[in-house]
């Protein structure tokens, strides 16, 4: 599986390239070259599977075995969700005549824990493989920052720098952001709104030098 830009000027990128790129160099988003086919029989077999089981079956369709062996991917997935307060990770609860998907069982209570917990594990895998370090710059108006911090706290390979608008997020969000004391976590309150803090972050991301 390779990845290409939605703007058409970048192609033939690996999953690792896409993971570390953010935006493509032409300003587009990196997407798969094609959408893998899953036949009806397999979909039926997956019915009722847990969230982590679904990840283990679907993600390999988007990453080549040579780039990330399946057994390593499955170990990353298992490790990514140990901080969740239920082994089910994403429970589907029957509440009479409706079903509710509970997305709040991660360390910060935000649905963003689901994606960022796995992304941090994938980043760590490739960084450890290359023996490299990464500075991760985040601008947040609340729950993104706390979920990002908790997903990488304690990582040997990632330093996270989080900017948030001073006195413009909820108290619980601020406590989640400012009370993680791991040495790789760096948090700064900045003047202005979340839109204001986006400006210097975008300038840094666009600075290829």
């Amino acid at each position: 599986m390779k990845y290409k830009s939605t703007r058409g000027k970048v192609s033939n990128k690996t999953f690792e390239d896409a993971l570390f790129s953010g935006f493509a160099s032409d300003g587009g988003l990196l997407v798969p070259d094609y959408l893998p086919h899953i036949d009806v029989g397999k979909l039926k077999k997956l019915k009722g599977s847990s969230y982590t089981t679904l990840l283990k079956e679907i993600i390999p369709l988007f990453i080549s075995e040579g780039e990330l062996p399946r057994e390593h991917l499955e170990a990353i997935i298992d490790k990514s969700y140990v901080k969740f307060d239920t082994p089910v990770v994403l429970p589907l609860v029957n509440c009479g005549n409706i079903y509710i998907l509970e997305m709040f069982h991660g360390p910060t209570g935000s649905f963003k824990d689901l994606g960022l917990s796995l992304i941090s594990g994938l980043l760590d895998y490739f960084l450890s493989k290359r023996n490299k370090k990464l500075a991760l710059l985040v601008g947040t108006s609340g729950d993104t920052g706390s979920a990002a911090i908790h997903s990488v706290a304690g990582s040997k390979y990632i330093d996270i720098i989080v900017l948030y608008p001073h006195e413009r997020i909820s108290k619980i969000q601020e406590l989640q952001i400012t009370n993680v004391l791991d040495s790789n976590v760096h948090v700064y309150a900045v003047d202005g709104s979340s839109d204001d803090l986006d400006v210097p972050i975008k300038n840094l991301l666009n600075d290829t030098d």
Side-chain angles (χ1 to χ4, degrees):
M1 173 66 76
K2 298 291 185 180
Y3 290 77
K4 61 185 178 182
S5 170
T6 52
R7 294 190 178 178
K9 295 180 180 178
V10 176
S11 61
N12 202 38
K13 295 293 183 179
T14 64
F15 174 80
E16 183 180 355
D17 292 331
L19 180 67
F20 284 89
S21 294
F23 289 105
S25 58
D26 64 357
L29 297 174
L30 289 168
V31 296
D33 274 338
Y34 62 92
L35 290 179
H37 174 73
I38 304 177
D39 63 54
V40 174
K42 184 167 185 177
L43 286 174
K44 288 181 177 179
K45 288 180 181 179
L46 291 174
K47 182 179 179 180
S49 296
S50 68
Y51 180 67
T52 52
T53 297
L54 289 172
L55 291 178
K56 291 173 183 178
E57 292 299 322
I58 294 171
I59 292 178
L61 301 175
F62 295 90
I63 311 175
S64 70
E65 176 77 13
E67 190 173 12
L68 177 51
R70 189 178 184 115
E71 63 269 23
H72 293 175
L73 173 61
E74 292 186 356
I76 291 168
I77 291 170
D78 288 336
K79 185 178 178 182
S80 294
Y81 297 101
V82 294
K83 294 181 181 179
F84 279 61
D85 63 16
T86 171
V88 181
V89 179
L90 193 61
L92 182 63
V93 180
N94 185 345
C95 297
N97 62 342
I98 62 170
Y99 285 83
I100 295 177
L101 191 63
E102 296 182 347
M103 306 179 77
F104 52 77
H105 290 281
T108 72
S110 166
F111 73 93
K112 294 178 181 178
D113 290 323
L114 290 161
L116 289 172
S117 295
L118 179 56
I119 287 173
S120 68
L122 292 166
L123 290 171
D124 256 359
Y125 173 81
F126 287 109
L127 289 167
S128 63
K129 188 176 177 181
R130 311 292 181 208
N131 194 26
K132 290 184 176 181
K133 294 199 70 174
L134 173 72
L136 188 60
L137 182 60
V138 177
T140 185
S141 58
D143 50 3
T144 300
S146 56
I149 286 171
H150 283 264
S151 71
V152 303
S155 171
K156 295 189 297 183
Y157 302 99
I158 302 171
D159 275 291
I160 187 168
I161 303 156
V162 175
L163 309 179
Y164 73 95
H166 184 50
E167 296 184 341
R168 296 199 182 200
I169 63 175
S170 71
K171 189 64 177 176
I172 189 170
Q173 288 172 332
E174 186 171 30
L175 289 171
Q176 285 182 337
I177 289 171
T178 58
N179 280 271
V180 179
L181 304 180
D182 295 81
S183 60
N184 68 316
V185 176
H186 315 277
V187 179
Y188 302 92
V190 300
D191 293 331
S193 67
S194 57
D195 289 334
D196 294 326
L197 67 84
D198 281 344
V199 175
I201 290 176
K202 286 180 179 178
N203 289 339
L204 284 170
L205 292 175
N206 289 330
D207 185 355
T208 56
D209 295 331

